[in-house]
Amino acid sequence: DIQMTQSPSSLSASVGDRVSISCRASQIITKYLNWYQQKPGKAPRLLIYAASSLPSGVPSRFSGSGSGTDFTLTISSLQPEDFGTYYCQQSYTTPRTFGQGTKVEIK
Amino acid sequence: EVQLVESGGGLVQPGGSLRLSCAASGFTFSTSWMTWVRQAPGKGLEWVADIKQDGSEEYYVDSVKGRFTISRDNAKNSLYLQMNSLRAEDTAVYYCVRDSRVEKLSPIKAFDYWGPGTLVTVSS
């Protein structure tokens, strides 16, 4: 199975800060990498697909980069509504594994 | 508007069975891979199983193989998860999820729509 490792596990930042979350795959997955945002008590929401593409409706302050084994989710200017937990997930092969999550808190 | 609504969760004793259902609407169900993802209380997300458009292929996480069965009824726009021999570690919110090529010409798939989830509690 492909292991997905995120860092950090949690972070606290101020409104307006630039925030980055890393995700590393245990083997090459090219661009088969998606990011999800989950707020407490809610279902996850697709945030980034294919490493760097934004679905319609996702604010442009969110961006994704990377290829191969190393990926990054960046929030260019953190907003109050961006609190929650962020998960990376590989869609290269079954089982479709997730990272352990990164909890983002607003200072 | 795409909608996925799960039902069938509840409290069950260890060793018991439960069948989850998911009613889909707002898209062509019969052309979509469908997936179950679960989340134990306070934990992360875990892919459980998925099924091809026509039901001819199914895949499972190792921890549920032989105990869980995913199925679908395209005539009823419904997805199911039959869960047998339930264990305490199966306690989780179970999400019904659509698995799509978000861009039609790309081979890369993502879980683009999620239901609100249904809670399964396995406890005596």
Side-chain angles (χ1 to χ4, degrees), chain A residues 6-24:
Chain A
Q6 289 181 232
S7 62
S9 296
S10 66
L11 66 90
S12 180
S14 300
V15 171
D17 283 353
R18 183 181 181 87
V19 168
S20 291
I21 299 170
S22 295
C23 176
R24 175 167 288 180

PDB file of all heavy atoms in Angstrom, chain A residues 6-24:
ATOM      1  N   GLN A   6       1.708  13.464   5.996  1.00  0.00           N
ATOM      2  CA  GLN A   6       1.535  14.918   5.978  1.00  0.00           C
ATOM      3  C   GLN A   6       2.333  15.571   7.100  1.00  0.00           C
ATOM      4  O   GLN A   6       2.540  14.985   8.156  1.00  0.00           O
ATOM      5  CB  GLN A   6       0.049  15.276   6.175  1.00  0.00           C
ATOM      6  CG  GLN A   6      -0.826  14.961   5.007  1.00  0.00           C
ATOM      7  CD  GLN A   6      -2.268  15.361   5.239  1.00  0.00           C
ATOM      8  OE1 GLN A   6      -3.175  14.544   5.066  1.00  0.00           O
ATOM      9  NE2 GLN A   6      -2.520  16.609   5.618  1.00  0.00           N
ATOM     10  N   SER A   7       2.746  16.801   6.840  1.00  0.00           N
ATOM     11  CA  SER A   7       3.364  17.599   7.888  1.00  0.00           C
ATOM     12  C   SER A   7       3.058  19.072   7.653  1.00  0.00           C
ATOM     13  O   SER A   7       2.960  19.511   6.497  1.00  0.00           O
ATOM     14  CB  SER A   7       4.885  17.373   7.922  1.00  0.00           C
ATOM     15  OG  SER A   7       5.463  17.771   6.695  1.00  0.00           O
ATOM     16  N   PRO A   8       2.834  19.838   8.743  1.00  0.00           N
ATOM     17  CA  PRO A   8       2.801  19.362  10.121  1.00  0.00           C
ATOM     18  C   PRO A   8       1.463  18.663  10.424  1.00  0.00           C
ATOM     19  O   PRO A   8       0.573  18.645   9.582  1.00  0.00           O
ATOM     20  CB  PRO A   8       2.924  20.648  10.919  1.00  0.00           C
ATOM     21  CG  PRO A   8       2.225  21.663  10.068  1.00  0.00           C
ATOM     22  CD  PRO A   8       2.536  21.286   8.639  1.00  0.00           C
ATOM     23  N   SER A   9       1.321  18.120  11.621  1.00  0.00           N
ATOM     24  CA  SER A   9       0.054  17.531  12.028  1.00  0.00           C
ATOM     25  C   SER A   9      -0.956  18.604  12.386  1.00  0.00           C
ATOM     26  O   SER A   9      -2.171  18.397  12.259  1.00  0.00           O
ATOM     27  CB  SER A   9       0.263  16.596  13.220  1.00  0.00           C
ATOM     28  OG  SER A   9       1.073  15.513  12.861  1.00  0.00           O
ATOM     29  N   SER A  10      -0.469  19.731  12.848  1.00  0.00           N
ATOM     30  CA  SER A  10      -1.335  20.862  13.154  1.00  0.00           C
ATOM     31  C   SER A  10      -0.548  22.147  13.043  1.00  0.00           C
ATOM     32  O   SER A  10       0.694  22.131  13.109  1.00  0.00           O
ATOM     33  CB  SER A  10      -1.938  20.722  14.558  1.00  0.00           C
ATOM     34  OG  SER A  10      -0.927  20.798  15.537  1.00  0.00           O
ATOM     35  N   LEU A  11      -1.264  23.240  12.844  1.00  0.00           N
ATOM     36  CA  LEU A  11      -0.638  24.542  12.791  1.00  0.00           C
ATOM     37  C   LEU A  11      -1.651  25.598  13.213  1.00  0.00           C
ATOM     38  O   LEU A  11      -2.863  25.415  13.075  1.00  0.00           O
ATOM     39  CB  LEU A  11      -0.073  24.828  11.391  1.00  0.00           C
ATOM     40  CG  LEU A  11      -1.044  24.974  10.241  1.00  0.00           C
ATOM     41  CD1 LEU A  11      -1.503  26.414  10.063  1.00  0.00           C
ATOM     42  CD2 LEU A  11      -0.423  24.465   8.936  1.00  0.00           C
ATOM     43  N   SER A  12      -1.104  26.689  13.719  1.00  0.00           N
ATOM     44  CA  SER A  12      -1.921  27.826  14.095  1.00  0.00           C
ATOM     45  C   SER A  12      -1.342  29.056  13.419  1.00  0.00           C
ATOM     46  O   SER A  12      -0.127  29.295  13.495  1.00  0.00           O
ATOM     47  CB  SER A  12      -1.921  27.988  15.622  1.00  0.00           C
ATOM     48  OG  SER A  12      -2.700  29.087  16.010  1.00  0.00           O
ATOM     49  N   ALA A  13      -2.180  29.792  12.715  1.00  0.00           N
ATOM     50  CA  ALA A  13      -1.694  30.942  11.972  1.00  0.00           C
ATOM     51  C   ALA A  13      -2.716  32.072  12.037  1.00  0.00           C
ATOM     52  O   ALA A  13      -3.891  31.851  12.368  1.00  0.00           O
ATOM     53  CB  ALA A  13      -1.412  30.555  10.524  1.00  0.00           C
ATOM     54  N   SER A  14      -2.255  33.259  11.700  1.00  0.00           N
ATOM     55  CA  SER A  14      -3.107  34.445  11.751  1.00  0.00           C
ATOM     56  C   SER A  14      -3.766  34.696  10.406  1.00  0.00           C
ATOM     57  O   SER A  14      -3.249  34.269   9.357  1.00  0.00           O
ATOM     58  CB  SER A  14      -2.284  35.660  12.148  1.00  0.00           C
ATOM     59  OG  SER A  14      -1.691  35.482  13.423  1.00  0.00           O
ATOM     60  N   VAL A  15      -4.877  35.395  10.451  1.00  0.00           N
ATOM     61  CA  VAL A  15      -5.549  35.797   9.212  1.00  0.00           C
ATOM     62  C   VAL A  15      -4.572  36.600   8.363  1.00  0.00           C
ATOM     63  O   VAL A  15      -3.866  37.479   8.868  1.00  0.00           O
ATOM     64  CB  VAL A  15      -6.812  36.614   9.532  1.00  0.00           C
ATOM     65  CG1 VAL A  15      -7.401  37.218   8.254  1.00  0.00           C
ATOM     66  CG2 VAL A  15      -7.848  35.747  10.234  1.00  0.00           C
ATOM     67  N   GLY A  16      -4.503  36.242   7.100  1.00  0.00           N
ATOM     68  CA  GLY A  16      -3.590  36.909   6.181  1.00  0.00           C
ATOM     69  C   GLY A  16      -2.258  36.196   5.989  1.00  0.00           C
ATOM     70  O   GLY A  16      -1.522  36.510   5.050  1.00  0.00           O
ATOM     71  N   ASP A  17      -1.941  35.255   6.858  1.00  0.00           N
ATOM     72  CA  ASP A  17      -0.686  34.521   6.733  1.00  0.00           C
ATOM     73  C   ASP A  17      -0.710  33.592   5.517  1.00  0.00           C
ATOM     74  O   ASP A  17      -1.755  33.127   5.086  1.00  0.00           O
ATOM     75  CB  ASP A  17      -0.417  33.668   7.977  1.00  0.00           C
ATOM     76  CG  ASP A  17       0.081  34.467   9.166  1.00  0.00           C
ATOM     77  OD1 ASP A  17       0.350  35.687   8.998  1.00  0.00           O
ATOM     78  OD2 ASP A  17       0.193  33.883  10.265  1.00  0.00           O
ATOM     79  N   ARG A  18       0.486  33.299   5.025  1.00  0.00           N
ATOM     80  CA  ARG A  18       0.656  32.281   3.994  1.00  0.00           C
ATOM     81  C   ARG A  18       0.934  30.966   4.708  1.00  0.00           C
ATOM     82  O   ARG A  18       1.806  30.886   5.569  1.00  0.00           O
ATOM     83  CB  ARG A  18       1.814  32.652   3.082  1.00  0.00           C
ATOM     84  CG  ARG A  18       2.060  31.698   1.923  1.00  0.00           C
ATOM     85  CD  ARG A  18       3.267  32.167   1.113  1.00  0.00           C
ATOM     86  NE  ARG A  18       3.570  31.322  -0.022  1.00  0.00           N
ATOM     87  CZ  ARG A  18       3.029  31.460  -1.228  1.00  0.00           C
ATOM     88  NH1 ARG A  18       2.153  32.432  -1.462  1.00  0.00           N
ATOM     89  NH2 ARG A  18       3.368  30.642  -2.222  1.00  0.00           N
ATOM     90  N   VAL A  19       0.183  29.939   4.356  1.00  0.00           N
ATOM     91  CA  VAL A  19       0.253  28.652   5.049  1.00  0.00           C
ATOM     92  C   VAL A  19       0.554  27.555   4.034  1.00  0.00           C
ATOM     93  O   VAL A  19      -0.040  27.523   2.948  1.00  0.00           O
ATOM     94  CB  VAL A  19      -1.090  28.353   5.761  1.00  0.00           C
ATOM     95  CG1 VAL A  19      -1.153  26.924   6.239  1.00  0.00           C
ATOM     96  CG2 VAL A  19      -1.297  29.321   6.927  1.00  0.00           C
ATOM     97  N   SER A  20       1.463  26.657   4.400  1.00  0.00           N
ATOM     98  CA  SER A  20       1.773  25.528   3.526  1.00  0.00           C
ATOM     99  C   SER A  20       1.699  24.217   4.293  1.00  0.00           C
ATOM    100  O   SER A  20       2.137  24.137   5.447  1.00  0.00           O
ATOM    101  CB  SER A  20       3.177  25.687   2.926  1.00  0.00           C
ATOM    102  OG  SER A  20       3.205  26.751   2.006  1.00  0.00           O
ATOM    103  N   ILE A  21       1.168  23.213   3.640  1.00  0.00           N
ATOM    104  CA  ILE A  21       1.059  21.858   4.194  1.00  0.00           C
ATOM    105  C   ILE A  21       1.725  20.907   3.208  1.00  0.00           C
ATOM    106  O   ILE A  21       1.465  20.973   1.995  1.00  0.00           O
ATOM    107  CB  ILE A  21      -0.415  21.461   4.401  1.00  0.00           C
ATOM    108  CG1 ILE A  21      -1.096  22.418   5.392  1.00  0.00           C
ATOM    109  CG2 ILE A  21      -0.524  20.020   4.880  1.00  0.00           C
ATOM    110  CD1 ILE A  21      -2.603  22.256   5.466  1.00  0.00           C
ATOM    111  N   SER A  22       2.552  20.036   3.721  1.00  0.00           N
ATOM    112  CA  SER A  22       3.278  19.092   2.871  1.00  0.00           C
ATOM    113  C   SER A  22       2.666  17.700   2.941  1.00  0.00           C
ATOM    114  O   SER A  22       2.103  17.290   3.971  1.00  0.00           O
ATOM    115  CB  SER A  22       4.742  19.014   3.302  1.00  0.00           C
ATOM    116  OG  SER A  22       5.385  20.241   3.090  1.00  0.00           O
ATOM    117  N   CYS A  23       2.819  16.985   1.851  1.00  0.00           N
ATOM    118  CA  CYS A  23       2.335  15.606   1.762  1.00  0.00           C
ATOM    119  C   CYS A  23       3.364  14.811   0.977  1.00  0.00           C
ATOM    120  O   CYS A  23       3.779  15.228  -0.111  1.00  0.00           O
ATOM    121  CB  CYS A  23       0.982  15.576   1.061  1.00  0.00           C
ATOM    122  SG  CYS A  23       0.298  13.926   0.786  1.00  0.00           S
ATOM    123  N   ARG A  24       3.799  13.692   1.530  1.00  0.00           N
ATOM    124  CA  ARG A  24       4.783  12.856   0.860  1.00  0.00           C
ATOM    125  C   ARG A  24       4.238  11.448   0.684  1.00  0.00           C
ATOM    126  O   ARG A  24       3.696  10.855   1.631  1.00  0.00           O
ATOM    127  CB  ARG A  24       6.084  12.811   1.663  1.00  0.00           C
ATOM    128  CG  ARG A  24       7.130  11.845   1.093  1.00  0.00           C
ATOM    129  CD  ARG A  24       8.481  12.075   1.719  1.00  0.00           C
ATOM    130  NE  ARG A  24       9.067  13.333   1.242  1.00  0.00           N
ATOM    131  CZ  ARG A  24      10.261  13.778   1.644  1.00  0.00           C
ATOM    132  NH1 ARG A  24      10.960  13.108   2.542  1.00  0.00           N
ATOM    133  NH2 ARG A  24      10.728  14.916   1.165  1.00  0.00           N
TER     134      ARG A  24
END
